[in-house]
Amino acid sequence: MYSLKRKYSNERNKSMRSFGMGQAINQALREEMLRDPDVFLAGEGIGVGIHSSPMLPTAGLLKDFGAGRVKDTPVSEAAIAGLAVGAAVAGLRPVVEIMFNPFFTLASDMIVNHAAKLRYLSGGKSSFPLVVRMKSGAGFGAGCQHSHNLEAWAAHCPGLKVIMPSTPADAKGLLKSAIRDPNPIVFIEDMMLYFVPGPVPEEEYLIPIGQADIKRQGADVTVVTWSKMVGVALKAAEQIAREGIEMEIVDLRTLVPLDKRTLIDSVRKTGRLVVLHEATRTGGFAGEVAAVVMEEAFDSLKAQLRRVTGPDIPVPASPPLERFYIPSEENLILAVKEIVL
Amino acid sequence: MQISKQKKIEMLRSLLLSRKFEEELTELCKIERKIPGMMILCTGQEAVGAGVCAALQPKDVIVTNHRSHSHLLAKGADPKTLMAEIFGKRTGCNKGKSGTLHMAVPEVNALCTTTVVGGGPPIAVGIAFAQQYRQGKWATVCFIGDGAANEGSFHEALNLASVWALPVIFVCENNLYAGAQRYEEHTKSPNIADRAGGYAMPGVVVDGNDALAVYRSALDARTRAVAGDGPTLIEYKTYRWRGHGENDLQIYQPKEEIAAWQAMCPIPKLRGDMLAQGLISKDELREMENRIDAIVQNAISFAEESPYPEPPEALEDVFA
């Protein structure tokens, strides 16, 4: 197992290369397809798409693995997700793509009622080793039917594991673990991160599902976050450090199963909690994180906790409106100061 | 096509077993606290399961639905563990997690059973994809009712199956009712199978109460599927004798209609033909019925005597 913390702190390590999350995912898919002939990909435009860039997750895979294993599908999300459910129970390792997170609704019967429940209904006789990749995240002006973070919906369905990585290295190691996991997994990728380079180890590694990662150590306040918001938190931490406030940033990486240990330990250390996510507030996963802390570490809290989230509105399209929607460094710093000062 | 004596005996046995199994359930579910949840029966429709499954090989897969008893029995599922599952017992085929509605029996390649109407077709497409991917000579059958044909998932699945020429047979058991809604009220086209043309696949309409006709049509579709020629949509015209479930008062089903269909029961049809042709004697028939009786009684005893799961067992089997 690779120690990524060590890697992050050693920028000059020769065995690292830098690229975005899209390419990291591409590497994970490629490596797992080479390792296991039962792994196949399916989705809309994953072979021949309307966009073509080496920065995208499935770039070049059709050419290298052929149309038998990289299946462009009709625009049929229910069939794509059902394909994964059926192929998985029959012994294959499907990795399917739902183009955008809001289209989860079209695939959701297959994911929620079938992928998540059929093992339980079988009394543990059947397994559904499948990965549903979904692209998500606001910031590209497409509006609310293409940008809607629904991780809390998936996390609310027993039987699904939910992964939402923040860095290229995490995305690669977690996706490889996800493909090898015997359970259905919802893997949500923030598209803006496709274009944010980060160090990725060259040699093979896995990152276990269900392990949070402390992306920054700090003594004064715990910021629990995931996906794109980890970057926002890191920038805010640099700013606020100049004022003498040290944030500890806990990147959950996996929402289900939730690494309560790391979360609780951090809050016990700092005594303060802010949960940050891009998804809307009401019913968001911040509520779950807050409840876990209240139940298990209430006595260590020195101040009330804070949530920094998108407001309870659909994601608007116009740039100033969209910027207003996405939680910013300023929003986070404000919340931190409210409970630290 | 000549159908062997052995195949006919297999189908007759399957019809009788399913009928007996459900006749017992019809009575058992009236007893308070005997059987949890709903009781959804396929009485009168057994020729579909019997005929289709007789056309399949053990490695062929079925995906079925809430009205599944005859499909599962015909595919070879153990009546004891089915009955125990229906009773909610730990010894049930799914340890009491399913109950009667979603029983899956992977041992006989009844891989998935879903009660979400229209849930089956996309999954069957996935299983058939795996069969094609592994270049096996096997097929998948997806049993649906007429109601499921109006779900969007039906359209997506049939289209994809056709585009990829998958070895899947969509079996629509048109029992004339979707819930309380009669066929004409939910579908304008006289046949569900007419939709097959829209997917460039064969659509076949067959008498669903004629086990031999069911067998022949399923065998044709299977041959086509495993040859790589793609999916088939078969519509079996049959009738739901009972309500949607056993608590259904059937106020919307005319009594004369039920009686008319009961007169076309699939069992006397096959049994009569076989007796007339000397394929089975009265004694052999009686012996078969006695054996089936014993199997079903044995299954009930097994279910009755089996323990319920311990409550904390509810926490098991969510994740692998």
Side-chain angles (χ1 to χ4, degrees):
Chain A
M1 194 64 57
Y2 225 89
S3 167
L4 283 162
K5 269 179 234 159
R6 182 161 45 77
K7 285 294 170 194
Y8 281 121
S9 63
N10 188 354
E11 294 288 320
R12 281 174 298 181
N13 192 307
K14 281 186 188 136
S15 63
M16 301 291 269
R17 283 183 58 208
S18 186
F19 43 80
M21 189 184 282
Q23 275 174 277
I25 288 164
N26 190 283
Q27 277 193 359
L29 295 171
R30 189 177 293 276
E31 288 177 14
E32 292 307 295
M33 289 178 82
L34 286 170
R35 183 188 59 82
D36 182 353
D38 285 340
V39 177
F40 76 95
L41 314 181
E44 296 161 14
I46 63 160
V48 181
I50 53 176
H51 302 295
S52 179
S53 157
M55 317 264 294
L56 295 175
T58 55
L61 297 177
L62 173 64
K63 183 173 149 283
D64 294 342
F65 292 95
R69 293 181 73 190
V70 179
K71 306 291 293 183
D72 272 325
T73 67
V75 184
S76 301
E77 284 79 7
I80 293 167
L83 172 73
V85 173
V89 75
L92 299 185
R93 294 270 171 169
V95 182
V96 299
E97 179 179 304
I98 299 298
M99 195 181 270
F100 297 109
N101 201 169
F103 308 164
F104 178 48
T105 55
L106 293 160
S108 60
D109 175 58
M110 280 298 133
I111 299 171
V112 174
N113 277 319
H114 295 95
K117 294 179 184 170
L118 285 176
R119 173 181 172 77
Y120 190 75
L121 282 171
S122 78
K125 279 185 181 170
S126 302
S127 293
F128 295 83
L130 62 93
V131 179
V132 181
R133 294 178 40 244
M134 292 197 255
K135 293 186 272 185
S136 98
F140 64 115
C144 57
Q145 292 181 335
H146 287 71
S147 301
H148 189 176
N149 282 359
L150 292 168
E151 69 267 26
W153 284 16
H156 197 54
C157 301
L160 298 178
K161 294 186 180 181
V162 183
I163 299 173
M164 221 166 156
S166 68
T167 68
D170 283 357
K172 183 178 174 187
L174 283 163
L175 182 56
K176 284 168 66 77
S177 293
I179 292 170
R180 299 181 193 193
D181 196 277
N183 296 290
I185 289 176
V186 172
F187 192 94
I188 304 177
E189 302 158 13
D190 192 302
M191 282 172 291
M192 302 308 278
L193 298 177
Y194 288 169
F195 311 103
V196 180
V200 179
E202 284 211 306
E203 66 262 51
E204 189 175 18
Y205 65 97
L206 298 169
I207 294 176
I209 295 167
Q211 227 176 60
D213 185 44
I214 297 179
K215 289 286 195 284
R216 186 184 194 279
Q217 306 265 357
D220 299 321
V221 57
T222 296
V223 175
V224 173
T225 187
W226 53 90
S227 188
K228 185 170 66 199
M229 289 294 115
V230 171
V232 170
L234 284 167
K235 280 187 194 150
E238 293 306 311
Q239 284 186 40
I240 206 168
R242 291 183 217 124
E243 299 176 40
I245 299 171
E246 292 298 333
M247 275 187 201
E248 176 142 304
I249 299 172
V250 177
D251 177 4
L252 287 184
R253 302 197 292 196
T254 302
L255 273 57
V256 181
L258 179 62
D259 182 358
K260 291 185 184 178
R261 191 70 273 144
T262 300
L263 168 64
I264 297 297
D265 286 350
S266 177
V267 173
R268 286 208 179 280
K269 184 175 93 174
T270 64
R272 292 182 177 85
L273 172 67
V274 177
V275 193
L276 166 68
H277 62 57
E278 183 181 298
T280 50
R281 192 174 190 83
T282 304
F285 200 73
E288 180 61 25
V289 172
V292 165
V293 168
M294 295 299 275
E295 281 178 336
E296 300 191 24
F298 179 71
D299 55 335
S300 65
L301 285 176
K302 297 177 202 157
Q304 67 219 90
L305 55 85
R306 281 279 181 270
R307 287 180 289 166
V308 178
T309 69
D312 282 332
I313 54 169
V315 176
S318 167
L321 301 182
E322 193 183 39
R323 273 197 297 277
F324 171 81
Y325 171 87
I326 302 172
S328 65
E329 287 100 82
E330 292 70 33
N331 298 147
L332 177 59
I333 287 170
L334 209 63
V336 166
K337 285 184 172 174
E338 278 175 12
I339 61 169
V340 173
L341 297 178
Chain B
M1 185 208 302
Q2 278 296 319
I3 303 175
S4 71
K5 174 183 166 181
Q6 192 194 343
K7 268 293 163 203
K8 288 181 180 172
I9 286 177
E10 180 187 328
M11 282 185 261
L12 181 61
R13 186 187 171 282
S14 172
L15 284 174
L16 293 170
L17 174 62
S18 180
R19 178 64 58 88
K20 184 70 194 164
F21 192 86
E22 288 205 332
E23 279 174 352
E24 293 294 334
L25 284 176
T26 308
E27 297 309 311
L28 286 164
C29 75
K30 291 176 187 160
I31 306 167
E32 216 175 324
R33 283 195 287 276
K34 178 70 80 183
I35 293 177
M38 293 183 249
M39 180 51 62
I40 292 185
L41 302 174
C42 61
T43 316
Q45 304 176 207
E46 300 93 337
V48 176
V52 169
C53 290
L56 301 182
Q57 299 293 320
K59 282 199 175 179
D60 291 329
V61 174
I62 64 167
V63 172
T64 173
N65 55 62
H66 49 285
R67 210 174 295 285
S68 68
H69 296 154
S70 77
H71 309 151
L72 297 171
L73 288 166
K75 193 73 173 74
D78 178 359
K80 276 164 63 179
T81 60
L82 289 186
M83 191 62 86
E85 186 62 36
I86 292 167
F87 275 64
K89 298 299 183 73
R90 180 196 275 150
T91 54
C93 54
N94 307 123
K95 301 198 270 187
K97 299 278 171 45
S98 160
T100 184
L101 291 185
H102 353 58
M103 292 186 290
V105 189
E107 299 90 322
V108 296
N109 281 316
L111 282 188
C112 288
T113 300
T114 171
T115 63
V116 178
V117 172
I123 297 174
V125 161
I127 295 169
F129 174 77
Q131 289 165 327
Q132 186 188 63
Y133 190 88
R134 292 203 159 139
Q135 295 165 343
K137 291 288 172 200
W138 314 112
T140 297
V141 166
C142 181
F143 290 102
I144 57 168
D146 45 309
N150 290 334
E151 291 283 358
S153 54
F154 171 86
H155 166 67
E156 290 194 22
L158 269 72
N159 181 60
L160 186 58
S162 179
V163 169
W164 289 356
L166 296 177
V168 56
I169 306 162
F170 298 100
V171 168
C172 180
E173 213 163 322
N174 185 348
N175 64 12
L176 225 53
Y177 287 90
Q181 200 171 37
R182 204 170 192 283
Y183 181 81
E184 296 77 15
E185 290 160 14
H186 69 66
T187 298
K188 193 76 174 169
S189 165
N191 302 305
I192 297 290
D194 293 347
R195 297 181 189 184
Y199 306 106
M201 71 171 79
V204 193
V205 179
V206 178
D207 176 358
N209 282 15
D210 179 347
L212 301 183
V214 171
Y215 171 78
R216 281 191 201 97
S217 53
L219 200 62
D220 285 348
R222 188 188 180 278
T223 304
R224 187 180 137 74
V226 299
D229 294 334
T232 303
L233 172 60
I234 313 178
E235 176 178 6
Y236 293 117
K237 302 280 192 189
T238 182
Y239 189 78
R240 198 187 75 198
W241 289 14
R242 314 292 303 178
H244 173 70
E246 283 306 280
N247 54 1
D248 177 344
L249 301 175
Q250 291 181 282
I251 50 173
Y252 53 88
Q253 275 176 281
K255 288 200 167 48
E256 316 77 67
E257 182 183 88
I258 298 174
W261 278 91
Q262 284 178 335
M264 296 186 278
C265 176
I267 294 176
K269 187 176 174 64
L270 181 63
R271 187 176 52 201
D273 286 357
M274 288 175 70
L275 283 167
Q277 291 164 21
L279 295 174
I280 193 166
S281 70
K282 281 189 172 168
D283 285 347
E284 286 166 334
L285 184 63
R286 202 170 306 114
E287 197 188 312
M288 183 189 274
E289 286 169 344
N290 289 342
R291 271 204 307 274
I292 285 168
D293 222 36
I295 287 168
V296 174
Q297 294 310 327
N298 192 22
I300 295 168
S301 308
F302 176 75
E304 300 259 22
E305 290 157 16
S306 289
Y308 281 108
E310 290 297 321
E313 290 174 36
L315 300 174
E316 297 168 5
D317 303 321
V318 179
F319 288 107

